[in-house]
Amino acid sequence: MNVMYKALPCNLVIFGIGGDLSRRKLLPALYQLDKENLLHPDTRILGLARSELSEDDFRNMVMNSLVLFVGTHVDQATVRRLMQRLSYQRLEFGNAASYVQMQAYFSALPRTSLFYFATPASIYAEICAGLHHADLIRDDSQVIMEKPIGDSLASSKVVDDEVGRYFTERQIYRIDHYLGKETVLNLLVLRFANALFTSNWDYTCIDHVQITVAESVGIEARWGFYDKAGQMRDMVQNHLLQILCLLAMEPPADLSAENIRSEKLKVLKALRPITSTNLSKKVVRGQYRDGYIKGQAVPGYLTEEGAHSQSTIETFVAIKAEIDNWRWSGVPFYLRTGKRLAMKHSEINIHFKAQPHNIFSSAYPELPANKLTIRLQPDEGIELQMLNKVPGITEISRIAKNRLDLSFSESFNQTRIVDAYERLLMEAMLQNQSWFVSRDEVEQAWTWVDAIINGWNNSGEKPDPYPAGSWGPTSSIALIARDNRQWDE
Ligand code: BG6
């Protein structure tokens, strides 16, 4: 165990303990941290929700969640330890008086509180007001907020202003769970610990970059939420732009939150705006229709449970993003993400430029360029496509394309990849904001995304249909083909 990663003792208070996020992600993450001895022995966890639950009901809910999302093999000693840390209180989120009941819990355990808002952002303000009313916010309290923070620049400012009335920016931890993924964090190591990639990482060596975050799932009974968001707000504004920032940013002076965030912010500020005037050449949006995923028939977006048949919300987006700064001049970043695509598969492809002069041109008029593939999930790993001489006495310059392939599971002999929420919960307990998103980043990302969404609204065009189980609408192939390039598939 790494002693440096011993979290400080705290009261972790989870608002919305019965919700999907808590059950699917937070409780399993806390179980894993406890199993690895990464929770301080004195850390306590208070779950809050609207339902009237007896102690037994609550413990059953926790146990069921662990069995469902960790597995039936859960370690019983860890479960017992975790259960001892946990307690439950019913809370009327909108009733400030209800928060006073929590005072006894806090006065018995007076130490840093970590408030986790696992609820919709629309009630963050009332939670903050309730905590303030009951005098539960101290200078060392922290708050973790889930995305989405608003659905536009204006509404994100409202949420942040409301929370900002009670907590300073240093106390606020905004989650983008992609920043807790091992492979996403590895981008920093790859770029800044390997001289090979530090010096070749700019417009002189890189032709273009592709970022694909493909999901095979649909909207999973979340139609009501998803139809107000769409793939642009749900995935691009946060996850894809954060990946782009880590790929494109200048080396930070160190790993401090201040330095990492300020470098990411510079990238967001340098993104060339996409507005009504250039929208049709730079962005494609799609919506899935009926199709097949792994041989199973699945319904189209407009016929999903709870759907209304006129929706024009996008379930797929492809974008040609450009970064107007010295390093990335003339290097497009093609982003692509969608629901109900052929498979769950997220990867980054860095396409290097071809050699300036080809001495093998008699046999190979066009030598393929090097390509670095970073597989984010599943089958996490890194692959470098290279050219090599085919061995043989008669083969003086026969060339083959080979891959240097590093699979994380094989190389690090891992039985399991740590979940992003484990990392992020632990970092919050260590009071390290480096892997959380600043308000400035959120607002800059919204500024860029709002312009695209406004362009769509002004054009009145509908998203292009694509069959579930495909790689998106054919217009997305055209988007990249116009530049004489193609998507990696
Ligand atoms: C969430 C989105 O932020 O990320 C979901 O709201 C999406 O729509 C999910 O499915 C994808 O996360 P992951 O970790 O499965 O890639």
Side-chain angles (χ1 to χ4, degrees):
M1 187 187 69
N2 187 341
V3 179
M4 280 175 62
Y5 272 109
K6 192 96 188 161
L8 304 169
C10 68
N11 295 329
L12 173 63
V13 183
I14 302 177
F15 294 82
I17 190 72
D20 192 59
L21 173 70
S22 299
R23 303 190 57 225
R24 192 182 285 270
K25 292 291 180 185
L26 303 184
L27 288 169
L30 289 165
Y31 162 87
Q32 298 291 4
L33 290 176
D34 215 351
K35 187 158 180 248
E36 300 288 325
N37 278 323
L38 291 170
L39 292 183
H40 193 281
D42 293 337
T43 286
R44 294 288 172 271
I45 304 161
L46 175 63
L48 300 161
R50 290 200 170 91
S51 326
E52 196 72 68
L53 288 185
S54 69
E55 202 60 28
D56 279 352
D57 293 340
F58 175 60
R59 280 166 199 280
N60 286 340
M61 185 279 283
V62 173
M63 194 60 208
N64 291 341
S65 307
L66 295 179
V67 169
L68 199 58
F69 299 114
V70 178
T72 43
H73 57 276
V74 280
D75 173 55
Q76 291 306 323
T78 307
V79 172
R80 275 196 298 279
R81 199 161 62 228
L82 184 64
M83 290 291 191
Q84 275 165 11
R85 299 176 187 277
L86 277 160
S87 46
Y88 177 77
Q89 281 190 21
R90 178 173 179 272
L91 182 75
E92 291 170 45
F93 291 102
N95 176 3
S98 181
Y99 291 73
V100 175
Q101 296 160 19
M102 288 159 61
Q103 282 170 340
Y105 183 88
F106 287 89
S107 49
L109 302 160
R111 49 185 139 77
T112 302
S113 296
L114 188 49
F115 300 115
Y116 198 122
F117 295 176
T119 66
S122 52
I123 64 167
Y124 291 173
E126 58 195 41
I127 296 177
C128 290
L131 289 172
H132 175 71
H133 175 81
D135 203 16
L136 295 175
I137 303 175
R138 303 191 330 190
D139 288 349
D140 64 351
S141 303
Q142 297 163 248
V143 56
I144 305 182
M145 306 201 302
E146 268 296 329
K147 73 165 254 282
I149 300 188
D151 59 7
S152 62
L153 175 62
S155 56
S156 82
K157 283 186 173 178
V158 170
V159 175
D160 273 322
D161 282 348
E162 282 166 345
V163 176
R165 286 174 59 195
Y166 305 96
F167 295 92
T168 64
E169 186 64 15
R170 286 212 163 274
Q171 294 174 286
I172 299 175
Y173 292 66
R174 291 181 195 79
I175 290 241
D176 181 316
H177 77 278
Y178 270 56
L179 289 181
K181 287 183 189 274
E182 294 282 27
T183 42
V184 174
L185 291 170
N186 189 41
L187 293 175
L188 292 190
V189 180
L190 184 79
R191 287 194 55 200
F192 303 126
N194 294 292
L196 181 65
F197 296 126
T198 313
S199 51
N200 290 333
W201 208 262
D202 64 12
Y203 73 98
T204 58
C205 295
I206 294 180
D207 177 74
H208 74 282
V209 176
Q210 297 186 21
I211 305 173
T212 296
V213 178
E215 297 181 89
S216 56
V217 291
I219 34 88
E220 296 186 300
R222 294 191 302 161
W223 213 90
F225 157 76
Y226 190 86
D227 199 58
K228 293 197 192 81
Q231 200 70 353
M232 192 72 180
R233 294 184 178 95
D234 191 39
M235 296 293 288
V236 178
Q237 190 271 346
N238 33 74
H239 308 324
L240 274 92
L241 287 185
Q242 284 294 322
I243 294 173
L244 178 135
C245 284
L246 294 178
L247 284 173
M249 71 185 193
E250 296 301 314
D254 55 30
L255 290 179
S256 67
E258 195 186 347
N259 286 329
I260 291 179
R261 290 160 158 205
S262 82
E263 293 305 340
K264 286 194 288 167
L265 183 62
K266 284 183 207 159
V267 176
L268 292 169
K269 285 186 172 168
L271 276 175
R272 188 177 301 170
I274 299 179
T275 58
S276 297
T277 49
N278 54 2
L279 185 68
S280 59
K281 294 207 175 64
K282 309 271 173 143
V283 187
V284 163
R285 61 175 176 155
Q287 193 185 63
Y288 63 85
R289 297 285 182 267
D290 300 355
Y292 291 86
I293 303 271
K294 290 190 194 141
Q296 293 281 326
V298 294
Y301 182 69
L302 300 178
T303 47
E304 291 273 12
E305 195 189 326
H308 68 73
S309 57
Q310 301 302 313
S311 170
T312 56
I313 211 74
E314 78 289 349
T315 59
F316 174 95
V317 188
I319 307 178
K320 177 181 176 182
E322 286 149 296
I323 302 172
D324 286 328
N325 65 15
W326 190 281
R327 184 186 284 267
W328 297 114
S329 175
V331 183
F333 284 66
Y334 299 96
L335 317 181
R336 181 173 60 152
T337 180
K339 305 271 188 244
R340 285 285 190 229
L341 296 184
M343 61 174 87
K344 182 169 176 78
H345 183 75
S346 302
E347 70 175 32
I348 300 163
N349 283 296
I350 313 286
H351 288 257
F352 288 89
K353 287 192 166 158
Q355 292 288 46
H357 176 64
N358 178 5
I359 62 169
F360 306 101
S361 58
S362 53
Y364 299 96
E366 280 197 35
L367 279 183
N370 295 130
K371 180 172 87 171
L372 176 70
T373 299
I374 303 160
R375 293 191 301 270
L376 299 178
Q377 60 186 26
D379 186 22
E380 292 79 355
I382 291 185
E383 192 178 293
L384 184 58
Q385 187 175 286
M386 303 182 68
L387 300 180
N388 288 291
K389 177 186 176 308
V390 176
I393 185 76
T394 58
E395 310 282 5
I396 194 68
S397 60
R398 199 167 138 222
I399 292 177
K401 205 155 67 171
N402 309 110
R403 294 161 173 192
L404 291 181
D405 193 352
L406 179 128
S407 154
F408 285 3
S409 57
E410 282 169 24
S411 302
F412 300 113
N413 203 11
Q414 276 176 324
T415 47
R416 109 189 151 85
I417 297 269
V418 169
D419 186 77
Y421 280 90
E422 293 169 44
R423 153 82 45 204
L424 294 176
L425 273 168
M426 191 177 67
E427 296 293 341
M429 289 180 197
L430 289 164
Q431 302 180 351
N432 176 17
Q433 284 185 310
S434 295
W435 315 117
F436 297 85
V437 186
S438 70
R439 175 171 181 163
D440 289 343
E441 287 174 80
V442 171
E443 294 189 354
Q444 199 60 45
W446 274 127
T447 303
W448 192 72
V449 160
D450 276 359
I452 298 176
I453 294 175
N454 289 341
W456 284 338
N457 293 342
N458 294 339
S459 82
E461 277 175 27
K462 292 184 176 167
D464 298 334
Y466 63 94
S470 68
W471 282 101
T474 46
S475 46
S476 81
I477 299 172
L479 173 93
I480 190 165
R482 277 198 289 277
D483 297 339
N484 290 323
R485 299 184 176 110
Q486 59 186 33
W487 293 109
D488 295 288
E489 272 168 27

